[in-house]
Amino acid sequence: MKKLFKGIIALIMSVLMIASAGSAVIPVAVGNVKTLSVQSSSASGIALKWTKTSGADGYRIFRYVLSEKKWKALKTTRSLKYTDTAVNSGEVYYYRVKAYEKVNGKTVFSKKYSNTVKIVLAPDKVTGLSATKVTGTDITLKWNKSRGATGYVVYLYDNSAKKYVKLGTTANSTITVAQLQSGESYTFAIRAYKKSGATRYSPYSSKLTVKTKIADVNGFRLSGCTASSYTLSWQAAAGVTGYQLAAYNESTKEWKTAAFTTKTTYTVSGSQAMTPTKYRVRTYLSKNGSYTYGNYSATVVGACVPGVPTNLQ
C-alpha cells in the first residue's frame, strides 16, 4: 500500500513538472498600442508618437503604400516616437503600430494594430506666376503646377483692407480674371491645396502686380453724310473716361486734336465739311489729374457729299 501511494505521488509530480515546463514556452501576445498620434507633419517629415505598452520590448511602425494597396513594415524601434522623412508634398499617408515582446528568443506581436492615423501634406508653394494676356478689362494668369495639388485658390490683394481676398478656385494652372477696370493695377497671389477629407494649403506664391490696358476704340467709321455735314462714329469702350478725336492738317502735316468727348459720335458741318479730312480716335483715362491713352484707331476720311446739281441747261 505504501509503495502504491508513493507511485501515485511521483506520477502527479511528473505531470505537474511537464505542464509547468510546457507553459514556459507558450508565447503570450503583448498588449496592444492604445494611442497613436501625429506630433508634426511637413514635407521634411511626419513625426509620430504613441503610448507605452506594458511588457513591450519594442514597436513596429507600418505605412500604407497607396500604389501597392497594402500595409508594409516601415521601422522597428524601442522608442515611443518615430519620424518618417521619406515623404513628399501633396501626398496622403496612413500609419499604424504594433507592440512586440521577446519570448524565448521569439518575437511575439500584439494581437491588434493601434488606431490608424491619416496625414495630408500640403502641396509645394506655387512658382512661375505670370500674366500671359492683358486687355482693358481682363488679365489671364498662369503658373507652374504644384506636385500633388488638388487645385488652386486665386487671391486679389485688397488695398483698402490690406489683405488678400479670394477670387475663386480652379483645378487648372491658368485662369482669366474678368470685369476689371481699365488702366488699373491689380496684385495677385496663388495657393495650391490638397483635399483628402482634410484640406491643406501651400504658402502664398510670390505676388504679381499687373496693370490693365486702356481699352482701344473699335468700329471707327463714317456713319452719316449729307450735303452739308457728315458724322463719324465708333463703339463704346469699357472703363474709359472719354475719347480724343484727332484731325490731320494737310498744311502743317500734323495731327491736331479736334475734340475731347464722352460721346461715341462726332459731327462736322458747314464749310469745314466740304474739305476731305483724315481722322483718327483713341480712348483716354483721367485719374488724379493725369491722363493715360489707348492706341489710335485706323484712319477714316471725312467728306461731305455735295448735293446733286439741278436745272442743267
Side-chain angles (χ1 to χ4, degrees):
M1 190 70 174
K2 192 182 264 189
K3 287 183 179 180
L4 179 61
F5 180 74
K6 285 184 178 180
I8 293 172
I9 294 297
L11 179 62
I12 292 172
M13 292 298 293
S14 298
V15 171
L16 291 173
M17 289 177 66
I18 292 171
S20 175
S23 64
V25 297
I26 297 174
V28 178
V30 69
N32 303 314
V33 175
K34 292 183 178 180
T35 306
L36 172 64
S37 58
V38 181
Q39 282 186 304
S40 63
S41 61
S42 68
S44 60
I46 296 173
L48 305 168
K49 68 174 183 177
W50 51 91
T51 53
K52 185 177 181 179
T53 301
S54 179
D57 292 316
Y59 306 88
R60 182 165 290 178
I61 303 99
F62 296 83
R63 189 173 86 177
Y64 188 73
V65 181
L66 291 172
S67 60
E68 300 179 26
K69 296 184 178 181
K70 64 181 180 180
W71 291 91
K72 282 193 171 182
L74 186 64
K75 179 72 176 181
T76 300
T77 179
R78 301 188 67 178
S79 175
L80 294 176
K81 57 180 66 176
Y82 173 71
T83 299
D84 183 8
T85 57
V87 296
N88 295 314
S89 302
E91 298 294 338
V92 182
Y93 296 92
Y94 299 85
Y95 299 91
R96 60 189 186 185
V97 177
K98 268 191 173 185
Y100 71 86
E101 65 176 336
K102 294 287 186 178
V103 180
N104 296 330
K106 293 184 178 181
T107 301
V108 182
F109 287 93
S110 56
K111 291 182 179 179
K112 295 181 179 180
Y113 290 99
S114 69
N115 58 297
T116 299
V117 293
K118 175 183 177 181
I119 299 92
V120 181
L121 292 183
D124 290 329
K125 179 180 177 180
V126 171
T127 61
L129 178 59
S130 63
T132 58
K133 183 179 179 182
V134 182
T135 68
T137 56
D138 300 347
I139 296 174
T140 299
L141 304 170
K142 72 172 296 186
W143 53 90
N144 298 327
K145 290 184 177 180
S146 184
R147 181 176 56 188
T150 302
Y152 305 89
V153 186
V154 182
Y155 296 88
L156 173 66
Y157 190 75
D158 187 328
N159 291 308
S160 58
K162 305 297 182 185
K163 66 178 182 179
Y164 281 106
V165 176
K166 179 180 174 180
L167 288 180
T169 60
T170 177
N172 302 315
S173 57
T174 182
I175 193 171
T176 297
V177 183
Q179 297 181 342
L180 302 174
Q181 295 295 314
S182 297
E184 292 287 343
S185 293
Y186 295 90
T187 299
F188 302 96
I190 309 291
R191 282 205 299 174
Y193 69 89
K194 176 72 174 186
K195 185 173 183 180
S196 179
T199 302
R200 297 288 182 266
Y201 294 89
S202 73
Y204 285 98
S205 68
S206 298
K207 64 181 181 181
L208 174 70
T209 300
V210 185
K211 187 175 183 178
T212 53
K213 296 180 178 180
I214 305 299
D216 292 330
V217 169
N218 290 313
F220 185 43
R221 64 193 181 94
L222 184 66
S223 60
C225 191
T226 68
S228 59
S229 67
Y230 57 83
T231 299
L232 303 167
S233 65
W234 53 91
Q235 297 173 11
V240 301
T241 304
Y243 309 91
Q244 180 192 23
L245 187 74
Y248 188 71
N249 189 311
E250 291 290 350
S251 300
T252 62
K253 307 299 182 184
E254 293 176 327
W255 287 95
K256 291 190 176 182
T257 300
F260 279 97
T261 180
T262 58
K263 298 179 180 179
T264 56
T265 61
Y266 181 76
T267 300
V268 180
S269 60
S271 60
Q272 184 181 355
M274 303 304 294
T275 303
T277 305
K278 291 189 291 185
Y279 291 92
R280 62 185 186 182
V281 65
R282 65 178 178 178
T283 55
Y284 73 89
L285 182 66
S286 175
K287 186 176 180 180
N288 299 325
S290 63
Y291 289 80
T292 307
Y293 296 90
N295 298 310
Y296 273 113
S297 67
T299 300
V300 168
V301 177
C304 177
V305 178
V308 177
T310 60
N311 197 26
L312 177 63
Q313 297 181 6

